[in-house]
């Protein structure tokens, strides 16, 4: 009897210890954390990405060529992705948002708010760049709007370049951040590196935008719209192609729609 009672007391004590060691249940996210904070993250992240990127172009030292803008754009996106990943997912780019939604990485009700915040952030970032830089350099660089194209004969190559380069960086993002099988904690570094070598490779062909928000903000602030449509059509098409490739062929069984 005594042994039985001692065993019973030991079980009760163990049960109490077990219950005390359990972590408290996670508190569900409130509306601010689910809706408003992610949108603010996209707004702030896109603002500073476009701001730093535009300044690097406006104040670019000619002797560095494409190197200075390439490094600055790549490094700032790597830093902002790392900082904002747990807040908004760190899209900062309309084609990224569309591709992530198509691959099941976000809810439909957040797509439009994200797109609006990214475009507004692009305008704010370009306005900050104008406030910081000299008027002479701002005018010379058209406010860091994409002024590479001057003739219709150049448009076809530029559109193809934007499609191909945006497809590549979107695939890196989807496979590194959304696809379970290939997820990597190094995705900010991978995306930043992809930005750098894309700009180094294709800067003289199209300017290597890969982001309509990055094109839209400077175009609004500097009122420079020459061949602006290229920087919407190319990146959006490239992002959609990447989403199709991941959804149909490259994704894991959870994402892939065929050949499961």
């Amino acid at each position: 009897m005594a042994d039985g009672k001692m065993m019973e007391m030991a079980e009760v004590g163990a049960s109490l210890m077990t219950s005390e060691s359990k972590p408290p249940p996670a508190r569900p996210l409130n509306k601010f954390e689910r809706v408003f904070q992610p949108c603010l993250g996209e707004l702030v992240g896109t603002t500073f990405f476009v701001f730093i990127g535009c300044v690097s172009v406006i104040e670019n030292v000619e002797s560095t060529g494409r190197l200075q803008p390439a490094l600055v754009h790549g490094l700032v996106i790597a830093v902002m992705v790392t900082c904002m990943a747990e807040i908004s997912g760190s899209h900062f780019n309309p084609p990224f948002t569309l591709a992530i939604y198509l691959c099941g990485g976000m809810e439909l009700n957040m797509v439009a708010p994200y797109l609006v915040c990214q475009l507004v952030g692009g305008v704010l970032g370009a306005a900050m760049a104008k406030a910081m830089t000299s008027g002479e350099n701002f005018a010379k660089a058209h406010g860091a709007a994409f002024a590479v194209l001057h003739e219709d004969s150049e448009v076809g190559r530029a559109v193809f370049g934007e499609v191909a380069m945006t497809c590549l960086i979107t695939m890196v993002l989807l496979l590194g951040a959304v696809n379970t099988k290939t997820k990597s904690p190094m995705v900010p570094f991978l995306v930043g590196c992809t930005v750098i070598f894309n700009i180094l490779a294709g800067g003289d062909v199209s300017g290597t935008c890969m982001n309509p928000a990055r094109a839209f903000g400077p175009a609004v602030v500097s009122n420079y719209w020459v061949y602006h449509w290229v920087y919407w059509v190319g990146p959006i098409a490239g992002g959609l192609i990447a989403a199709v490739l991941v959804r149909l062929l490259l994704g894991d069984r959870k994402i892939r729609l065929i050949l499961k």
Side-chain angles (χ1 to χ4, degrees):
M1 287 286 292
D3 289 344
K5 191 153 188 169
M6 289 178 64
M7 289 179 63
E8 185 178 345
M9 291 176 65
E11 289 175 0
V12 171
S15 175
L16 289 172
M17 290 176 62
T18 304
S19 64
E20 288 176 0
S21 64
K22 285 183 180 178
R27 179 177 64 85
L29 299 177
N30 58 35
K31 188 172 183 180
F32 173 76
E33 294 166 329
R34 286 185 289 105
V35 178
F36 296 108
Q37 193 178 55
C39 289
L40 286 171
E42 286 298 301
L43 177 65
V44 172
T46 308
T47 296
F48 279 99
F49 167 65
V50 174
F51 165 59
I52 297 298
C54 286
V55 170
S56 74
V57 173
I58 295 168
E59 299 294 340
N60 185 25
V61 179
E62 293 185 5
S63 61
T64 66
R66 296 192 299 272
L67 183 60
Q68 178 175 318
L71 289 175
V72 171
H73 281 84
L75 291 173
V76 70
I77 198 64
V79 170
M80 296 309 300
V81 167
T82 302
C83 292
M84 296 289 187
E86 298 302 321
I87 297 176
S88 71
S90 301
H91 299 188
F92 315 142
N93 188 342
F96 285 2
T97 296
L98 295 175
I100 289 170
Y101 165 69
L102 292 174
C103 290
M106 67 182 299
E107 299 294 329
L108 177 61
N109 67 313
M110 295 300 292
V111 173
Y114 266 41
L115 298 180
V116 171
C117 288
Q118 289 158 4
L119 294 177
V120 172
V123 175
L124 291 175
M128 289 170 61
K130 182 177 182 180
M132 177 176 168
T133 56
S134 68
E136 180 183 354
N137 289 347
F138 182 88
K140 183 179 177 182
H142 298 287
F146 290 88
V148 176
L149 303 178
H150 303 288
E151 299 177 2
D152 290 346
S153 60
E154 301 170 338
V155 171
R157 294 183 297 116
V159 172
F160 179 79
E162 289 295 318
V163 171
M165 290 184 292
T166 308
C167 179
L168 173 58
I169 193 172
T170 308
M171 277 199 302
V172 170
L173 176 70
L174 293 175
L175 294 175
V178 179
N179 190 55
T180 304
K181 186 177 180 180
T182 54
K183 271 187 179 180
S184 170
M186 294 185 66
V187 69
F189 170 77
L190 299 175
V191 171
C193 284
T194 308
V195 170
I196 291 172
F197 61 64
N198 271 349
I199 293 176
L200 291 175
D204 284 348
V205 177
S206 69
T208 314
C209 175
M210 305 178 291
N211 186 339
R214 168 63 181 83
F216 180 70
V220 170
V221 173
S222 65
N223 195 29
Y224 185 86
W225 300 95
V226 178
Y227 295 111
H228 179 73
W229 62 270
V230 169
Y231 304 105
W232 286 80
V233 172
I236 290 175
L240 293 178
I241 292 171
V244 170
L245 288 172
V246 172
R247 203 73 159 121
L248 298 183
L249 299 173
L250 300 177
D252 55 33
R253 290 185 179 182
K254 182 180 177 181
I255 291 179
R256 201 168 63 247
L257 295 177
I258 61 174
L259 303 174
K260 294 187 177 183

